[in-house]
Amino acid sequence: FKSMDAEACGKIFQTEDGTLGASFRGHMTQEEIESGITSNGIIRSHDNGLTWGDASPIYRAIPGSGLQFNENQVLPLADGRWLAMIRLNNNYFIEVHPVIMHRSYSSDQGRTWTFPVPTRFNGGEPGAERLPDGGILSAQTSPGRTYSILWTEDSMSRGEISQTRPWGLLYEVSYDGGLTWAYWGDLYRTEKDSAEHIGSPTFLSVDEDNVFAVYHRGSKE
């Protein structure tokens, strides 16, 4: 990788053999940098965090595709696989500009990954946690709106905004490793017409009944 940005990406996790891992977004080539899209990756530490390296891509960007996979979260599952929840900004193929959460799986501790496929949830800056009852908790900033994209030969601009729900944090719970989602709801909802920005939720299962959540809130002004 030529660049690395861990903002709004995954918290550090530890595997059974003691390896520490964390996800990030970045650029693998100069062409990616110039195209404005990012690859996703995993970086590891094998000495309890003293040094970091051993990076490998989750999804490698394809300049010109318009598929910008960026903010992400990786969570080891009970069956040994790793689940990656990744935000996609589809900047090219469609007239409406959604931000859709995608999922990807690895069966070899992050060395190779399945191609990301969409979930039913829009948003970004994801967080995730394994629950004591075997469930998977995932959450993301939910913009509740889409932008119509106006195209010209040389540029792109945002057009009409369609507001479908208040801005906030949406959470969902899965009992099959993220394949389907049993239920979902609002973790936090902003006031109507608020410009407040919410994001980057981090979770910790405290006990059998409680989960602790931390996230940022921007100024309403």
Side-chain angles (χ1 to χ4, degrees):
F1 282 86
K2 296 176 71 65
S3 74
M4 183 267 200
D5 178 11
E7 179 187 3
C9 293
K11 64 180 180 181
I12 297 171
F13 59 89
Q14 187 172 35
T15 63
E16 291 184 357
D17 65 3
T19 299
L20 299 179
S23 62
F24 65 96
R25 55 183 172 174
H27 303 92
M28 299 189 71
T29 66
Q30 185 64 32
E31 187 181 11
E32 289 180 24
I33 295 175
E34 294 172 356
S35 71
I37 62 176
T38 52
S39 293
N40 305 133
I42 285 283
I43 190 167
R44 303 170 180 84
S45 173
H46 301 285
D47 55 10
N48 294 317
L50 182 63
T51 60
W52 291 82
D54 190 14
S56 56
I58 300 172
Y59 174 84
R60 186 163 184 171
I62 304 174
S65 69
L67 299 178
Q68 182 181 350
F69 288 97
N70 43 35
E71 301 149 359
N72 55 81
Q73 175 83 214
V74 171
L75 186 69
L77 302 178
D79 61 10
R81 295 179 301 160
W82 289 6
L83 166 67
M85 299 294 291
I86 312 171
R87 167 182 173 169
L88 170 66
N89 293 65
N90 192 332
N91 296 330
Y92 187 74
F93 289 113
I94 50 182
E95 294 181 357
V96 178
H97 181 66
V99 177
I100 302 295
M101 293 304 303
H102 282 57
R103 65 174 181 269
S104 178
Y105 297 98
S106 173
S107 297
D108 54 8
Q109 293 202 334
R111 301 296 174 182
T112 59
W113 294 82
T114 61
F115 189 84
V117 298
T119 68
R120 64 183 299 164
F121 305 107
N122 68 336
E125 302 190 28
E129 176 71 313
R130 286 170 56 179
L131 301 177
D133 65 357
I136 298 298
L137 171 67
S138 181
Q140 61 283 321
T141 301
S142 182
R145 57 187 178 184
T146 57
Y147 299 93
S148 298
I149 299 300
L150 307 178
W151 289 96
T152 66
E153 187 69 24
D154 302 314
S155 65
M156 175 188 75
S157 63
R158 287 180 175 177
E160 181 179 354
I161 297 176
S162 175
Q163 184 79 35
T164 57
R165 63 187 306 279
W167 186 284
L169 285 171
L170 185 72
Y171 76 91
E172 52 273 355
V173 174
S174 172
Y175 289 97
D176 55 12
L179 186 62
T180 61
W181 301 91
Y183 59 91
W184 54 88
D186 289 306
L187 177 65
Y188 178 83
R189 182 179 292 186
T190 63
E191 297 176 5
K192 183 179 180 181
D193 299 325
S194 170
E196 178 182 16
H197 184 272
I198 313 297
S200 303
T202 297
F203 299 99
L204 177 66
S205 294
V206 179
D207 53 38
E208 293 292 327
D209 300 312
N210 297 281
V211 176
F212 187 65
V214 176
Y215 50 88
H216 77 244
R217 291 177 54 192
S219 169
K220 293 184 179 182
E221 287 73 35

